[in-house]
Amino acid sequence: GAGVSQSPRYKVAKRGQDVALRCDPISGHVSLFWYQQALGQGPEFLTYFQNEAQLDKSGLPSDRFFAERPEGSVSTLKIQRTQKEDSAVYLCASSRASSGNTIYFGEGSWLTVV
Amino acid sequence: AQKITQTQPGMFVQEKEAVTLDCTYDTSDQSYGLFWYKQPSSGEMIFLIYQGSYDEQNATEGRYSLNFQKARKSANLVISASQLGDSAMYFCAMREVPLGGSYIPTFGRGTSLIVHP
């Protein structure tokens, strides 16, 4: 596609429910990033893939968060047993190479945990 | 320690005027990249401009220019001839090369810009 596509755009989950957020990066982009953005804050890094390899997951806040990119294209961020503090916008971004100068973001998945 | 500092939580500017959004950064790397993004209320992060640490000239993209002062570790965004549609959050970000080789952008907390008629 023309840009980074994320789904769902909006998700309301009951506390304790599992959620899966999908990211479809720009075709041919090697690098893929997930960020979490709380209301009124800047994006905070969660995890980074180069092709199918997850090279950095230091930003994942707990073991309830899990990300994968099995074929080096589409990525899924899974949050198990959601908590209210997980409410945020989850942004996916991609770039052409690990040294790519321009990183393109999707519109984000807005998660609200009630 | 904060790697990216944006000291202006909010800025106001009159339509057609120029505005400067401040950004300072902290790194010991020689090779790094600096970015500015715009985030309107819809939530999408829109890439505006990029400056490499070895670029000798300030980056420009249309009405956007980046005032890069390497010795001061400053990368301010200048928007000329502001338009009502420029009202949004603006984020400064930096991409370094840590030992692991991963290029992971770090963002500041953002500046809210309001353009009034």
Side-chain angles (χ1 to χ4, degrees):
Chain A
V4 179
S5 177
Q6 292 188 247
S7 62
R9 281 280 281 138
Y10 303 95
K11 175 71 178 178
V12 178
K14 289 185 177 179
R15 191 170 58 179
Q17 188 178 352
D18 297 348
V19 300
L21 308 176
R22 176 189 168 105
C23 173
D24 203 336
I26 294 171
S27 178
H29 277 196
V30 167
S31 296
L32 185 145
F33 307 85
W34 282 100
Y35 284 83
Q36 180 191 60
Q37 187 177 21
L39 192 63
Q41 303 293 319
E44 295 284 342
F45 169 75
L46 293 177
T47 187
Y48 162 68
F49 290 86
Q50 187 171 323
N51 295 305
E52 69 278 2
Q54 189 175 20
L55 297 186
D56 194 320
K57 55 182 181 179
S58 61
L60 296 176
S62 77
D63 59 7
R64 295 186 296 104
F65 287 71
F66 172 77
E68 60 183 5
R69 193 186 185 196
E71 297 178 359
S73 55
V74 171
S75 177
T76 304
L77 176 67
K78 297 179 179 177
I79 310 172
Q80 297 176 324
R81 304 181 303 281
T82 52
Q83 303 294 314
K84 286 196 172 183
E85 60 263 28
D86 300 335
S87 296
V89 179
Y90 290 86
L91 294 165
C92 178
S94 70
S95 69
R96 188 176 299 278
S98 60
S99 58
N101 292 339
T102 306
I103 302 161
Y104 297 94
F105 281 81
E107 292 183 309
S109 290
W110 299 59
L111 173 65
T112 302
V113 181
V114 297
Chain B
Q2 282 273 43
K3 291 209 170 212
I4 297 286
T5 302
Q6 295 181 254
T7 57
Q8 306 153 314
M11 289 285 286
F12 292 87
V13 66
Q14 191 158 14
E15 195 179 9
K16 299 180 186 177
E17 298 286 311
V19 62
T20 298
L21 306 183
D22 294 342
C23 173
T24 56
Y25 59 92
D26 181 25
T27 182
S28 54
D29 288 349
Q30 296 301 308
S31 177
Y32 51 89
L34 297 157
F35 305 80
W36 277 92
Y37 286 85
K38 172 185 178 181
Q39 188 177 44
S41 56
S42 61
E44 184 182 2
M45 295 284 278
I46 302 167
F47 168 76
L48 295 178
I49 197 166
Y50 168 82
Q51 178 87 40
S53 57
Y54 291 118
D55 295 340
E56 294 187 352
Q57 291 197 330
N58 287 342
T60 60
E61 289 285 348
R63 294 186 298 111
Y64 305 107
S65 61
L66 199 152
N67 184 359
F68 181 45
Q69 298 187 41
K70 195 169 181 177
R72 298 178 63 181
K73 294 188 176 176
S74 165
N76 297 341
L77 177 70
V78 180
I79 305 175
S80 62
S82 299
Q83 302 172 357
L84 296 179
D86 293 336
S87 295
M89 286 292 292
Y90 287 80
F91 292 95
C92 180
M94 176 173 64
R95 199 177 196 190
E96 302 170 283
V97 185
L99 287 174
S102 301
Y103 291 73
I104 297 171
T106 304
F107 285 80
R109 299 187 71 164
T111 294
S112 174
L113 176 66
I114 296 176
V115 180
H116 57 88

